[in-house]
Amino acid sequence: MKTNTKLLHDYPVIDAYTGASSIPKYQTSTFHQQKLYDDSQQFSYTRFGNPTVHALEEALASFENARYALAYSSGMAAISNVLMLVKAGEHIILPNEVYGGTCQFVNEVLPNFHIETTFVDFADLHAVEAAIQPNTAMLYLETPSNPLLKISDIEAIVALAKKHEILTAADNTFMTALYQSPLGYGVDIVVESVTKFINGHSDVVAGLAATNDEVLYEKLKLYQKNFGAILGVEDTWLVLRGMKTMGLRMERSIENAEKIAQFLVQHPQVKKVYYPTLAHHKGQAIHMKQAQNGGAVLSFELHTKEDLIRFTERIQLPILAVSLGGVESILSHPATMSHACLPAHERLNQGICDELLRLSCGIEDIEDLLEDLAQALQ
């Protein structure tokens, strides 16, 4: 099946018991056991598994072209479970510009478990290899990165990891499996914030981890169960609903992003634009080798903090909010939102200045978005 067909048909869509065309919300914590000492019954307790959640995990596995997928209560639940695969005394290498929540987990939580970490520029393969230690257990990449859309060469990182027998994990939230497939390049585990484009309606918080490795899947399943990082049934059903239109939503959002990026590049009030398909974007050629387009997210810098304040007060259509990937355009300020958990000096080290804004493009008519941007930039 091709993508839009898979999103509608390649998982348990029809309820086996009633024939309902949409999997029901099995809103239950527990299940009646037909017999004692019978291991054949699939469901016993919703923290261990639920028919609605099972349908979503089948859908996510199909979407990711993976053998296995797990649905989590948030993107950070998925990320933290994956990072906890590393054992005490081992070492993880991550990009300098990794997502703020991931960075905080690595800096504030992992040291309690005696797990070491190093941050390097993942665009520099020599720097990544130089950071590898005898106890390095995982290379964790994020491409494009949040919020500067920095590019890592997935194929080259995987080759480096295999050379040193190290696990690879990739955050693929910005591109999703629609337009970039880290598993197809040999990455061991993919994580995504389902909150974003997969659900696409800004009404659910969820995450996923997908893998083709049964051993890794079983470990993650054990962690998911014991950390209680499960997705609720109501949210599961909403994600199943949201996924059905993902392909069509993303087409419009990406078309809008491409046109807005070109508009902003030419505007004198804009200092710099970050978008992977722009000719000046560092890593553009690598990105277009491994992805189908630039995605629906871009970032841009204004000249002064006063320009920033004036722009955010004038803009009308995009909501000013945390998160991304909704049907509505969402304007975010990384310094006070996604990366507020980082000290100011660390944000600046990553290139995240106060004048930076991130725009997740929605499905509005492009003429209205451009007119709104133009008046806000005057």
Side-chain angles (χ1 to χ4, degrees):
M1 295 181 189
K2 293 187 177 180
T3 301
N4 286 313
T5 309
K6 286 173 68 173
L7 289 170
L8 289 168
H9 297 288
D10 197 27
Y11 55 96
V13 178
I14 298 172
D15 180 43
Y17 303 105
T18 65
S21 62
S22 173
I23 289 290
K25 304 169 193 174
Y26 283 91
Q27 195 70 56
T28 182
S29 60
T30 192
F31 299 81
H32 172 63
Q33 305 293 296
Q34 299 292 334
K35 297 178 183 178
L36 293 177
Y37 306 106
D38 181 3
D39 295 332
S40 64
Q41 185 164 322
Q42 186 175 3
F43 302 107
S44 61
Y45 187 56
T46 282
R47 181 161 60 87
F48 308 153
N50 176 287
T52 314
V53 178
H54 174 72
L56 175 59
E57 292 182 336
E58 290 284 304
L60 294 174
S62 170
F63 174 66
E64 295 286 345
N65 292 312
R67 291 178 64 193
Y68 311 103
L70 293 165
Y72 289 87
S73 51
S74 68
M76 274 309 305
I79 290 167
S80 58
N81 271 220
V82 167
L83 291 173
M84 289 301 291
L85 290 170
V86 176
K87 300 174 184 176
E90 293 183 332
H91 175 241
I92 308 171
I93 303 174
L94 306 97
N96 288 329
E97 68 283 1
V98 75
Y99 166 60
T102 306
C103 187
Q104 186 176 42
F105 182 82
V106 165
N107 287 332
E108 303 294 333
V109 178
L110 290 186
N112 297 324
F113 298 91
H114 304 287
I115 295 171
E116 301 173 12
T117 55
T118 300
F119 294 90
V120 301
D121 180 1
F122 263 59
D124 184 347
L125 290 174
H126 296 294
V128 178
E129 186 159 27
I132 294 174
Q133 304 172 10
N135 62 337
T136 302
M138 180 183 288
L139 300 183
Y140 182 96
L141 60 148
E142 179 183 311
T143 184
S145 70
N146 181 12
L148 297 178
L149 298 110
K150 294 184 179 179
I151 305 302
S152 303
D153 188 327
I154 301 172
E155 190 173 22
I157 295 291
V158 168
L160 182 61
K162 290 186 182 301
K163 173 183 171 182
H164 292 273
E165 299 182 343
I166 299 169
L167 279 177
T168 49
D171 185 336
N172 196 39
T173 297
F174 272 28
M175 294 309 301
T176 82
L178 275 182
Y179 302 118
Q180 180 173 271
S181 178
L183 290 177
Y185 283 100
V187 166
D188 294 300
I189 308 166
V190 166
V191 294
E192 287 195 38
S193 174
V194 175
T195 309
K196 313 303 193 293
F197 294 110
I198 295 177
N199 177 60
H201 290 78
S202 301
D203 54 10
V204 166
V205 174
L208 75 84
T211 183
N212 289 315
D213 187 309
E214 184 176 5
V215 173
L216 291 175
Y217 167 74
E218 293 296 341
K219 286 182 181 178
L220 287 171
K221 183 69 177 173
L222 178 70
Y223 290 2
Q224 181 199 46
K225 179 175 72 173
N226 286 284
F227 288 143
I230 61 166
L231 188 59
V233 172
E234 175 73 19
D235 287 345
T236 299
W237 188 88
L238 286 170
V239 173
L240 283 165
R241 171 225 55 186
M243 283 186 72
K244 293 178 179 178
T245 59
M246 183 184 179
L248 299 179
R249 288 188 282 104
M250 290 297 291
E251 285 181 18
R252 169 60 74 87
S253 291
I254 291 167
E255 181 182 343
N256 285 349
E258 290 171 346
K259 292 178 180 177
I260 289 171
Q262 293 295 338
F263 168 81
L264 293 174
V265 162
Q266 299 170 25
H267 202 289
Q269 293 299 107
V270 177
K271 182 178 179 181
K272 190 170 183 180
V273 180
Y274 302 88
Y275 187 65
T277 61
L278 293 175
H280 70 262
H281 193 87
K282 186 177 179 181
Q284 186 253 14
I286 293 171
H287 179 79
M288 293 312 298
K289 177 190 74 172
Q290 62 196 22
Q292 295 179 33
N293 51 56
V297 179
L298 57 95
S299 293
F300 58 99
E301 288 180 29
L302 300 178
H303 291 282
T304 68
K305 197 169 182 178
E306 290 72 23
D307 292 339
L308 172 88
I309 299 301
R310 183 168 57 250
F311 177 85
T312 56
E313 289 176 349
R314 288 180 174 179
I315 197 77
Q316 298 295 313
L317 290 179
I319 64 170
L320 185 62
V322 172
S323 198
L324 57 99
V327 287
E328 70 282 274
S329 292
I330 303 174
L331 186 70
S332 299
H333 185 232
T336 59
M337 295 181 181
S338 61
H339 289 67
C341 58
L342 302 182
H345 72 274
E346 182 61 36
R347 289 198 300 271
L348 289 175
N349 285 341
Q350 293 188 20
I352 302 168
C353 60
D354 283 347
E355 295 77 25
L356 181 74
L357 290 166
R358 187 191 70 199
L359 179 63
S360 172
C361 300
I363 64 172
E364 299 94 343
D365 290 308
I366 188 60
E367 296 84 358
D368 295 325
L369 288 172
L370 291 176
E371 182 179 346
D372 191 27
L373 287 165
Q375 66 82 21
L377 285 167
Q378 282 180 356

